[in-house]
Amino acid sequence: AVIQILCGGCPSHIDMYDLKPHAPAEIRGEFHEIPTNVAGYRISDQLPLQARVMDKMAIIRSVAHTTPAHGIASQWILTGHDPGRVTKDNIYPACGSIVSKLRGPHRPGMPAYIAVPRSVSFGSAAYLGAAYNPFTTDVDPVAEDFHVKNLTPVPGITVDRVGSRRDLLTRLDAMRRDVDLHGDLRGMDDFNREAVDLITSDQAAKAFDIQSEDPKLREKYGHTFIGQNCLLARRLVEAGVSYVTCLSGGGWDTHQNNFSRLKNETLPRYDRAVAALIEDIYDRGLDKQVLVMVFGEFGRTPRVNKDAGRDHWPGAMSMLLSGGGLKVGQMIGETDSKAAYPISDPYTPGNVLSTMYGFMGIDDTHHFYDDNNRPIPILNDGGPIAELL
């Protein structure tokens, strides 16, 4: 299974995993390096908990693409395809939707693809159909009364009545399918079957019951948006979900006051949640079965601007991977003296997603057909990152 943590808005790679302590002040910024538990590797002093689990992480520092626009870059990162234009909708299916289509859930009664607490931008199924969009909780799991409203039948609707209605719907849809020209009803069949499975099984309700978790472990993750999202994601993959996307919360788009915002807001909760998730995955013996991926849509400018901020920068970015049976305890790739561009082999979003698809047993050269009946490969560039395998 995969847990994907999306830091939408873009983390500052040069202030987190790719510091340049010998660069001029307007490049290196205000943070310093600290050693990790892997000899020779150093990361930001604002990530002390992750420094203690570096032996369980791989940091790829030479990922790059060519667009500084949030929307285009987000779709590129999540699908492996450059959409080529600004759009509000997915042109290509998100990686979670592809996993849902080709793998499905690991256990009956669970969705294959879940987004907590809501779908990320460009995290949808495009031409694969609505059945492969993510199931969403739409409620922040840090809330004291967190529950997923749609997992129980409304009052008066028993499991038997749900079954009767499903049988009736099946018969009606069979009559209507003769005039269905686009396969929409078949997609809705899958969607409806998954919905009925959810509310007639207690597996999903138990998985979402985060209040039953050990309070000490909840505290370790942090009672924050990202902390409880990550804990819920771990519960969901254990319960049989194949792909979970987590929103990390805002604060990454630091055009102003980059250092104070990272130090006082974003990085403490991020450091705590990600380190706790990684330790939890390994402590539970899930590190061969669960891959954790953490990234934003691009990096941030090497030079600090006049507002003490850093702007959009696609020339270099850092991504974190853990588990998945990968070779961890390493940093892959190198950037120039300003963290502006890779000076080792650059990697694309396609390379990162190809690595994930390989872990999930998915052939990323497989083709789907879009709404115009054109064959579209899952990925059209890349190949897995060899150093991780």
Side-chain angles (χ1 to χ4, degrees):
V2 175
I3 296 173
Q4 178 190 72
I5 303 168
L6 186 67
C7 301
C10 308
S12 179
H13 64 296
I14 192 174
D15 297 309
M16 295 169 63
Y17 303 114
D18 197 10
L19 280 73
K20 301 296 179 181
H22 304 298
E26 65 272 19
I27 301 293
R28 70 173 183 266
E30 300 178 10
F31 299 156
H32 303 283
E33 288 185 322
I34 57 172
T36 70
N37 68 348
V38 177
Y41 292 143
R42 303 169 72 84
I43 63 176
S44 173
D45 58 0
Q46 304 304 308
L47 300 171
L49 299 177
Q50 290 183 35
R52 299 175 192 172
V53 294
M54 182 67 223
D55 60 322
K56 300 175 178 66
M57 306 190 312
I59 307 296
I60 311 164
R61 296 182 297 183
S62 56
V63 182
H65 57 74
T66 57
T67 181
H70 285 296
I72 297 175
S74 294
Q75 185 154 180
W76 198 343
I77 286 290
L78 290 170
T79 69
H81 292 264
D82 177 4
R85 59 184 173 86
V86 177
T87 175
K88 294 182 179 180
D89 301 313
N90 276 67
I91 298 174
Y92 303 98
C95 40
S97 295
I98 288 174
V99 171
S100 177
K101 170 77 171 177
L102 295 181
R103 285 293 301 267
H106 291 295
R107 293 179 189 167
M110 295 299 296
Y113 177 25
I114 291 182
V116 294
R118 58 187 179 275
S119 181
V120 302
S121 297
F122 306 107
S124 298
Y127 46 77
L128 295 184
Y132 303 105
N133 285 335
F135 178 88
T136 62
T137 64
D138 294 321
V139 181
D140 184 348
V142 79
E144 291 185 7
D145 62 344
F146 171 74
H147 64 285
V148 182
K149 292 178 287 188
N150 296 326
L151 288 188
T152 55
V154 298
I157 302 297
T158 65
V159 170
D160 288 341
R161 288 188 68 187
V162 170
S164 297
R165 291 182 179 195
R166 175 169 55 182
D167 292 341
L168 175 61
L169 183 62
T170 299
R171 291 195 297 272
L172 290 173
D173 282 350
M175 295 167 59
R176 295 161 57 198
R177 194 171 290 111
D178 289 339
V179 296
D180 176 28
L181 301 180
H182 303 289
D184 294 334
L185 289 177
R186 192 169 302 279
M188 288 306 296
D189 282 350
D190 294 337
F191 189 86
N192 289 334
R193 182 174 60 251
E194 185 174 280
V196 172
D197 287 345
L198 275 171
I199 64 174
T200 55
S201 167
D202 63 356
Q203 288 186 82
K206 288 180 179 178
F208 282 110
D209 184 15
I210 199 170
Q211 286 91 349
S212 67
E213 196 63 72
D214 183 345
K216 291 182 179 178
L217 187 60
R218 294 194 72 181
E219 182 64 27
K220 182 177 180 179
Y221 275 83
H223 286 283
T224 61
F225 183 84
I226 183 176
Q228 298 304 296
N229 280 343
C230 286
L231 176 55
L232 182 57
R234 190 272 294 160
R235 292 178 60 86
L236 292 171
V237 296
E238 275 194 313
V241 178
S242 296
Y243 205 100
V244 181
T245 58
C246 295
L247 288 171
S248 70
W252 297 112
D253 202 14
T254 51
H255 293 283
Q256 300 89 29
N257 303 317
N258 174 76
F259 303 100
S260 63
R261 291 174 66 187
L262 291 180
K263 181 176 182 178
N264 299 316
E265 300 171 22
T266 313
L267 291 184
R269 63 194 185 218
Y270 166 83
D271 183 39
R272 184 173 184 174
V274 172
L277 175 62
I278 290 170
E279 284 194 301
D280 207 6
I281 293 295
Y282 277 80
D283 288 347
R284 291 171 180 271
L286 298 174
D287 52 289
K288 301 293 191 299
Q289 289 80 41
V290 178
L291 171 65
V292 177
M293 304 194 301
V294 188
F295 48 76
E297 57 264 47
F298 39 66
R300 304 205 74 83
T301 49
R303 185 173 295 275
V304 180
N305 67 27
K306 63 180 179 59
D307 298 314
R310 295 191 192 270
D311 301 313
H312 301 176
W313 188 258
M317 59 191 297
S318 296
M319 293 187 174
L320 184 158
L321 280 74
S322 181
L326 301 180
K327 290 183 179 178
V328 291
Q330 60 172 329
M331 289 186 171
I332 297 170
E334 185 179 358
T335 58
D336 61 24
S337 62
K338 297 179 180 180
Y341 299 101
I343 57 175
S344 61
D345 288 339
Y347 291 112
T348 67
N351 292 125
V352 178
L353 295 184
S354 179
T355 305
M356 179 274 292
Y357 285 129
F359 164 68
M360 292 297 287
I362 291 173
D363 176 6
D364 60 41
T365 66
H366 178 85
H367 287 69
F368 295 109
Y369 290 86
D370 68 7
D371 294 333
N372 295 313
N373 207 36
R374 297 176 302 177
I376 308 292
I378 291 176
L379 295 174
N380 58 13
D381 77 345
I385 297 172
E387 295 97 320
L388 290 169
L389 305 180

